[in-house]
Amino acid sequence: MDKLRDVKEEDFDYIIESKKAGKNYWWDIWQHRDLLYILAWRDIKVRYKQTVLGIAWSVLQPLFTMLVFTFVFSKIAHLPSEGEAPYAIMVFVGMIPWHFFSSAVRESSNSLIANDQLVTKVYFPRMIIPASTVAVSLIDMLISLGILVLLMVYFGYFPGIRILLLPFYIGLLFVFSFSIGLLFAAFNVKYRDVRYIIPFI
């Protein structure tokens, strides 16, 4: 018992304090960034594990969607394009943030339920699980941005100086999607109907 009395707070690597937990969310994620990386990498491998084309789907899916949208909106619906950008680039630029947002919210809202075995067995900041799913969606978006660069080279179209604001825009989009995903993840733990409502929203 005497040894236990001599133990100080400094002797522990991690101390959980209930009143201060709300202030340390982002710091907790930073401290557990290795776990965030492992969970994100696991989700990427699981997503394309049993597919024939593998990770090539992350390139083909947005590309085919862009081709279908371009054909339907320009050739069938005859919707005009605004500005000087080619129609395919205009469609692709609009599609990239929407795909990121929808997949990030959809996957993060189901993440806590899908990883309930992990959540109940070991302590770590629970925000890491939704954050890892949003990180996977971010990787998909970066791949789509690479495709966008190739499309711009192909069409000979180059954006103006406002392209320098892109990292700021991506950061805002990440925080917004992560926030909405966390909200729905919390609701989904309490009310399992949320997973069926999200696609309609």
PDB file of all heavy atoms in Angstrom, residues 95-117:
ATOM      1  N   MET A  95     -18.300  17.549 -58.699  1.00  0.00           N
ATOM      2  CA  MET A  95     -18.513  16.201 -58.175  1.00  0.00           C
ATOM      3  C   MET A  95     -17.537  15.837 -57.057  1.00  0.00           C
ATOM      4  O   MET A  95     -17.886  15.109 -56.126  1.00  0.00           O
ATOM      5  CB  MET A  95     -18.351  15.221 -59.338  1.00  0.00           C
ATOM      6  CG  MET A  95     -18.897  13.852 -59.100  1.00  0.00           C
ATOM      7  SD  MET A  95     -18.569  12.844 -60.546  1.00  0.00           S
ATOM      8  CE  MET A  95     -16.796  12.721 -60.492  1.00  0.00           C
ATOM      9  N   ILE A  96     -16.302  16.344 -57.107  1.00  0.00           N
ATOM     10  CA  ILE A  96     -15.263  15.955 -56.142  1.00  0.00           C
ATOM     11  C   ILE A  96     -15.660  16.279 -54.703  1.00  0.00           C
ATOM     12  O   ILE A  96     -15.651  15.389 -53.845  1.00  0.00           O
ATOM     13  CB  ILE A  96     -13.909  16.600 -56.505  1.00  0.00           C
ATOM     14  CG1 ILE A  96     -13.338  15.944 -57.758  1.00  0.00           C
ATOM     15  CG2 ILE A  96     -12.917  16.462 -55.355  1.00  0.00           C
ATOM     16  CD1 ILE A  96     -12.080  16.615 -58.283  1.00  0.00           C
ATOM     17  N   PRO A  97     -16.023  17.521 -54.370  1.00  0.00           N
ATOM     18  CA  PRO A  97     -16.375  17.790 -52.966  1.00  0.00           C
ATOM     19  C   PRO A  97     -17.648  17.077 -52.521  1.00  0.00           C
ATOM     20  O   PRO A  97     -17.758  16.669 -51.370  1.00  0.00           O
ATOM     21  CB  PRO A  97     -16.538  19.314 -52.911  1.00  0.00           C
ATOM     22  CG  PRO A  97     -16.701  19.750 -54.305  1.00  0.00           C
ATOM     23  CD  PRO A  97     -16.029  18.743 -55.168  1.00  0.00           C
ATOM     24  N   TRP A  98     -18.601  16.927 -53.460  1.00  0.00           N
ATOM     25  CA  TRP A  98     -19.838  16.247 -53.079  1.00  0.00           C
ATOM     26  C   TRP A  98     -19.572  14.773 -52.755  1.00  0.00           C
ATOM     27  O   TRP A  98     -20.093  14.243 -51.759  1.00  0.00           O
ATOM     28  CB  TRP A  98     -20.888  16.361 -54.177  1.00  0.00           C
ATOM     29  CG  TRP A  98     -22.060  15.467 -53.884  1.00  0.00           C
ATOM     30  CD1 TRP A  98     -22.445  14.353 -54.560  1.00  0.00           C
ATOM     31  CD2 TRP A  98     -22.972  15.608 -52.798  1.00  0.00           C
ATOM     32  NE1 TRP A  98     -23.539  13.786 -53.964  1.00  0.00           N
ATOM     33  CE2 TRP A  98     -23.885  14.539 -52.873  1.00  0.00           C
ATOM     34  CE3 TRP A  98     -23.094  16.529 -51.761  1.00  0.00           C
ATOM     35  CZ2 TRP A  98     -24.919  14.376 -51.956  1.00  0.00           C
ATOM     36  CZ3 TRP A  98     -24.128  16.356 -50.847  1.00  0.00           C
ATOM     37  CH2 TRP A  98     -25.031  15.295 -50.961  1.00  0.00           C
ATOM     38  N   HIS A  99     -18.769  14.103 -53.559  1.00  0.00           N
ATOM     39  CA  HIS A  99     -18.441  12.696 -53.279  1.00  0.00           C
ATOM     40  C   HIS A  99     -17.700  12.561 -51.961  1.00  0.00           C
ATOM     41  O   HIS A  99     -17.940  11.621 -51.198  1.00  0.00           O
ATOM     42  CB  HIS A  99     -17.608  12.099 -54.423  1.00  0.00           C
ATOM     43  CG  HIS A  99     -18.443  11.473 -55.487  1.00  0.00           C
ATOM     44  ND1 HIS A  99     -19.161  10.316 -55.296  1.00  0.00           N
ATOM     45  CD2 HIS A  99     -18.684  11.834 -56.770  1.00  0.00           C
ATOM     46  CE1 HIS A  99     -19.795   9.991 -56.397  1.00  0.00           C
ATOM     47  NE2 HIS A  99     -19.533  10.914 -57.315  1.00  0.00           N
ATOM     48  N   PHE A 100     -16.773  13.486 -51.715  1.00  0.00           N
ATOM     49  CA  PHE A 100     -16.044  13.439 -50.445  1.00  0.00           C
ATOM     50  C   PHE A 100     -16.997  13.606 -49.276  1.00  0.00           C
ATOM     51  O   PHE A 100     -16.959  12.829 -48.313  1.00  0.00           O
ATOM     52  CB  PHE A 100     -14.975  14.532 -50.404  1.00  0.00           C
ATOM     53  CG  PHE A 100     -14.370  14.707 -49.040  1.00  0.00           C
ATOM     54  CD1 PHE A 100     -13.473  13.775 -48.548  1.00  0.00           C
ATOM     55  CD2 PHE A 100     -14.715  15.784 -48.244  1.00  0.00           C
ATOM     56  CE1 PHE A 100     -12.923  13.918 -47.290  1.00  0.00           C
ATOM     57  CE2 PHE A 100     -14.169  15.935 -46.988  1.00  0.00           C
ATOM     58  CZ  PHE A 100     -13.275  15.009 -46.507  1.00  0.00           C
ATOM     59  N   PHE A 101     -17.852  14.611 -49.343  1.00  0.00           N
ATOM     60  CA  PHE A 101     -18.771  14.877 -48.240  1.00  0.00           C
ATOM     61  C   PHE A 101     -19.711  13.698 -47.999  1.00  0.00           C
ATOM     62  O   PHE A 101     -19.887  13.247 -46.862  1.00  0.00           O
ATOM     63  CB  PHE A 101     -19.571  16.151 -48.512  1.00  0.00           C
ATOM     64  CG  PHE A 101     -20.616  16.433 -47.482  1.00  0.00           C
ATOM     65  CD1 PHE A 101     -20.260  16.929 -46.240  1.00  0.00           C
ATOM     66  CD2 PHE A 101     -21.956  16.201 -47.760  1.00  0.00           C
ATOM     67  CE1 PHE A 101     -21.227  17.188 -45.283  1.00  0.00           C
ATOM     68  CE2 PHE A 101     -22.923  16.453 -46.809  1.00  0.00           C
ATOM     69  CZ  PHE A 101     -22.561  16.949 -45.568  1.00  0.00           C
ATOM     70  N   SER A 102     -20.335  13.191 -49.055  1.00  0.00           N
ATOM     71  CA  SER A 102     -21.317  12.117 -48.894  1.00  0.00           C
ATOM     72  C   SER A 102     -20.668  10.838 -48.378  1.00  0.00           C
ATOM     73  O   SER A 102     -21.203  10.180 -47.480  1.00  0.00           O
ATOM     74  CB  SER A 102     -22.063  11.865 -50.204  1.00  0.00           C
ATOM     75  OG  SER A 102     -21.182  11.409 -51.203  1.00  0.00           O
ATOM     76  N   SER A 103     -19.506  10.479 -48.923  1.00  0.00           N
ATOM     77  CA  SER A 103     -18.860   9.239 -48.446  1.00  0.00           C
ATOM     78  C   SER A 103     -18.321   9.406 -47.037  1.00  0.00           C
ATOM     79  O   SER A 103     -18.402   8.489 -46.218  1.00  0.00           O
ATOM     80  CB  SER A 103     -17.739   8.823 -49.399  1.00  0.00           C
ATOM     81  OG  SER A 103     -16.675   9.748 -49.377  1.00  0.00           O
ATOM     82  N   ALA A 104     -17.787  10.591 -46.703  1.00  0.00           N
ATOM     83  CA  ALA A 104     -17.259  10.826 -45.356  1.00  0.00           C
ATOM     84  C   ALA A 104     -18.367  10.742 -44.317  1.00  0.00           C
ATOM     85  O   ALA A 104     -18.208  10.086 -43.278  1.00  0.00           O
ATOM     86  CB  ALA A 104     -16.567  12.189 -45.290  1.00  0.00           C
ATOM     87  N   VAL A 105     -19.494  11.379 -44.579  1.00  0.00           N
ATOM     88  CA  VAL A 105     -20.609  11.357 -43.624  1.00  0.00           C
ATOM     89  C   VAL A 105     -21.197   9.957 -43.525  1.00  0.00           C
ATOM     90  O   VAL A 105     -21.475   9.462 -42.425  1.00  0.00           O
ATOM     91  CB  VAL A 105     -21.677  12.395 -44.020  1.00  0.00           C
ATOM     92  CG1 VAL A 105     -22.937  12.229 -43.194  1.00  0.00           C
ATOM     93  CG2 VAL A 105     -21.131  13.799 -43.863  1.00  0.00           C
ATOM     94  N   ARG A 106     -21.384   9.303 -44.662  1.00  0.00           N
ATOM     95  CA  ARG A 106     -21.974   7.961 -44.652  1.00  0.00           C
ATOM     96  C   ARG A 106     -21.103   6.970 -43.878  1.00  0.00           C
ATOM     97  O   ARG A 106     -21.577   6.230 -43.014  1.00  0.00           O
ATOM     98  CB  ARG A 106     -22.183   7.481 -46.098  1.00  0.00           C
ATOM     99  CG  ARG A 106     -22.888   6.138 -46.203  1.00  0.00           C
ATOM    100  CD  ARG A 106     -23.059   5.721 -47.649  1.00  0.00           C
ATOM    101  NE  ARG A 106     -21.773   5.515 -48.295  1.00  0.00           N
ATOM    102  CZ  ARG A 106     -21.298   6.254 -49.274  1.00  0.00           C
ATOM    103  NH1 ARG A 106     -21.986   7.280 -49.732  1.00  0.00           N
ATOM    104  NH2 ARG A 106     -20.117   6.002 -49.814  1.00  0.00           N
ATOM    105  N   GLU A 107     -19.802   6.957 -44.185  1.00  0.00           N
ATOM    106  CA  GLU A 107     -18.905   5.990 -43.546  1.00  0.00           C
ATOM    107  C   GLU A 107     -18.660   6.327 -42.076  1.00  0.00           C
ATOM    108  O   GLU A 107     -18.631   5.435 -41.231  1.00  0.00           O
ATOM    109  CB  GLU A 107     -17.572   5.939 -44.298  1.00  0.00           C
ATOM    110  CG  GLU A 107     -17.681   5.491 -45.741  1.00  0.00           C
ATOM    111  CD  GLU A 107     -18.175   4.062 -45.890  1.00  0.00           C
ATOM    112  OE1 GLU A 107     -17.903   3.241 -44.994  1.00  0.00           O
ATOM    113  OE2 GLU A 107     -18.840   3.782 -46.897  1.00  0.00           O
ATOM    114  N   SER A 108     -18.465   7.595 -41.759  1.00  0.00           N
ATOM    115  CA  SER A 108     -18.174   7.954 -40.363  1.00  0.00           C
ATOM    116  C   SER A 108     -19.388   7.760 -39.466  1.00  0.00           C
ATOM    117  O   SER A 108     -19.239   7.433 -38.287  1.00  0.00           O
ATOM    118  CB  SER A 108     -17.664   9.393 -40.266  1.00  0.00           C
ATOM    119  OG  SER A 108     -18.615  10.298 -40.752  1.00  0.00           O
ATOM    120  N   SER A 109     -20.585   7.938 -40.002  1.00  0.00           N
ATOM    121  CA  SER A 109     -21.779   7.757 -39.173  1.00  0.00           C
ATOM    122  C   SER A 109     -21.980   6.297 -38.780  1.00  0.00           C
ATOM    123  O   SER A 109     -22.565   6.010 -37.732  1.00  0.00           O
ATOM    124  CB  SER A 109     -23.016   8.275 -39.898  1.00  0.00           C
ATOM    125  OG  SER A 109     -23.228   7.552 -41.089  1.00  0.00           O
ATOM    126  N   ASN A 110     -21.489   5.372 -39.593  1.00  0.00           N
ATOM    127  CA  ASN A 110     -21.605   3.944 -39.264  1.00  0.00           C
ATOM    128  C   ASN A 110     -20.347   3.378 -38.615  1.00  0.00           C
ATOM    129  O   ASN A 110     -20.307   2.201 -38.278  1.00  0.00           O
ATOM    130  CB  ASN A 110     -21.908   3.143 -40.542  1.00  0.00           C
ATOM    131  CG  ASN A 110     -23.280   3.459 -41.089  1.00  0.00           C
ATOM    132  OD1 ASN A 110     -24.228   3.637 -40.345  1.00  0.00           O
ATOM    133  ND2 ASN A 110     -23.389   3.542 -42.397  1.00  0.00           N
ATOM    134  N   SER A 111     -19.319   4.194 -38.445  1.00  0.00           N
ATOM    135  CA  SER A 111     -18.018   3.676 -38.024  1.00  0.00           C
ATOM    136  C   SER A 111     -18.018   3.129 -36.600  1.00  0.00           C
ATOM    137  O   SER A 111     -17.395   2.103 -36.331  1.00  0.00           O
ATOM    138  CB  SER A 111     -16.950   4.757 -38.169  1.00  0.00           C
ATOM    139  OG  SER A 111     -17.280   5.876 -37.366  1.00  0.00           O
ATOM    140  N   LEU A 112     -18.679   3.801 -35.669  1.00  0.00           N
ATOM    141  CA  LEU A 112     -18.677   3.333 -34.277  1.00  0.00           C
ATOM    142  C   LEU A 112     -19.420   2.021 -34.136  1.00  0.00           C
ATOM    143  O   LEU A 112     -18.997   1.131 -33.388  1.00  0.00           O
ATOM    144  CB  LEU A 112     -19.289   4.394 -33.358  1.00  0.00           C
ATOM    145  CG  LEU A 112     -18.469   5.670 -33.182  1.00  0.00           C
ATOM    146  CD1 LEU A 112     -19.222   6.670 -32.328  1.00  0.00           C
ATOM    147  CD2 LEU A 112     -17.119   5.357 -32.563  1.00  0.00           C
ATOM    148  N   ILE A 113     -20.520   1.873 -34.870  1.00  0.00           N
ATOM    149  CA  ILE A 113     -21.277   0.617 -34.831  1.00  0.00           C
ATOM    150  C   ILE A 113     -20.474  -0.505 -35.465  1.00  0.00           C
ATOM    151  O   ILE A 113     -20.435  -1.631 -34.960  1.00  0.00           O
ATOM    152  CB  ILE A 113     -22.626   0.776 -35.568  1.00  0.00           C
ATOM    153  CG1 ILE A 113     -23.447   1.888 -34.933  1.00  0.00           C
ATOM    154  CG2 ILE A 113     -23.406  -0.524 -35.594  1.00  0.00           C
ATOM    155  CD1 ILE A 113     -23.808   1.676 -33.491  1.00  0.00           C
ATOM    156  N   ALA A 114     -19.812  -0.223 -36.574  1.00  0.00           N
ATOM    157  CA  ALA A 114     -19.029  -1.251 -37.270  1.00  0.00           C
ATOM    158  C   ALA A 114     -17.813  -1.696 -36.460  1.00  0.00           C
ATOM    159  O   ALA A 114     -17.332  -2.822 -36.632  1.00  0.00           O
ATOM    160  CB  ALA A 114     -18.584  -0.728 -38.632  1.00  0.00           C
ATOM    161  N   ASN A 115     -17.303  -0.849 -35.591  1.00  0.00           N
ATOM    162  CA  ASN A 115     -16.121  -1.175 -34.787  1.00  0.00           C
ATOM    163  C   ASN A 115     -16.461  -1.343 -33.309  1.00  0.00           C
ATOM    164  O   ASN A 115     -15.632  -1.054 -32.442  1.00  0.00           O
ATOM    165  CB  ASN A 115     -15.073  -0.072 -34.946  1.00  0.00           C
ATOM    166  CG  ASN A 115     -14.493  -0.031 -36.333  1.00  0.00           C
ATOM    167  OD1 ASN A 115     -13.659  -0.844 -36.694  1.00  0.00           O
ATOM    168  ND2 ASN A 115     -14.932   0.928 -37.128  1.00  0.00           N
ATOM    169  N   ASP A 116     -17.664  -1.834 -33.002  1.00  0.00           N
ATOM    170  CA  ASP A 116     -18.077  -1.942 -31.604  1.00  0.00           C
ATOM    171  C   ASP A 116     -17.192  -2.886 -30.797  1.00  0.00           C
ATOM    172  O   ASP A 116     -16.981  -2.691 -29.608  1.00  0.00           O
ATOM    173  CB  ASP A 116     -19.541  -2.351 -31.509  1.00  0.00           C
ATOM    174  CG  ASP A 116     -19.804  -3.716 -32.124  1.00  0.00           C
ATOM    175  OD1 ASP A 116     -19.000  -4.147 -32.961  1.00  0.00           O
ATOM    176  OD2 ASP A 116     -20.818  -4.338 -31.765  1.00  0.00           O
ATOM    177  N   GLN A 117     -16.630  -3.921 -31.435  1.00  0.00           N
ATOM    178  CA  GLN A 117     -15.734  -4.835 -30.712  1.00  0.00           C
ATOM    179  C   GLN A 117     -14.483  -4.104 -30.242  1.00  0.00           C
ATOM    180  O   GLN A 117     -13.990  -4.329 -29.144  1.00  0.00           O
ATOM    181  CB  GLN A 117     -15.329  -6.001 -31.615  1.00  0.00           C
ATOM    182  CG  GLN A 117     -16.487  -6.880 -32.057  1.00  0.00           C
ATOM    183  CD  GLN A 117     -17.048  -7.699 -30.902  1.00  0.00           C
ATOM    184  OE1 GLN A 117     -16.335  -8.018 -29.976  1.00  0.00           O
ATOM    185  NE2 GLN A 117     -18.335  -8.002 -30.965  1.00  0.00           N
TER     186      GLN A 117
END
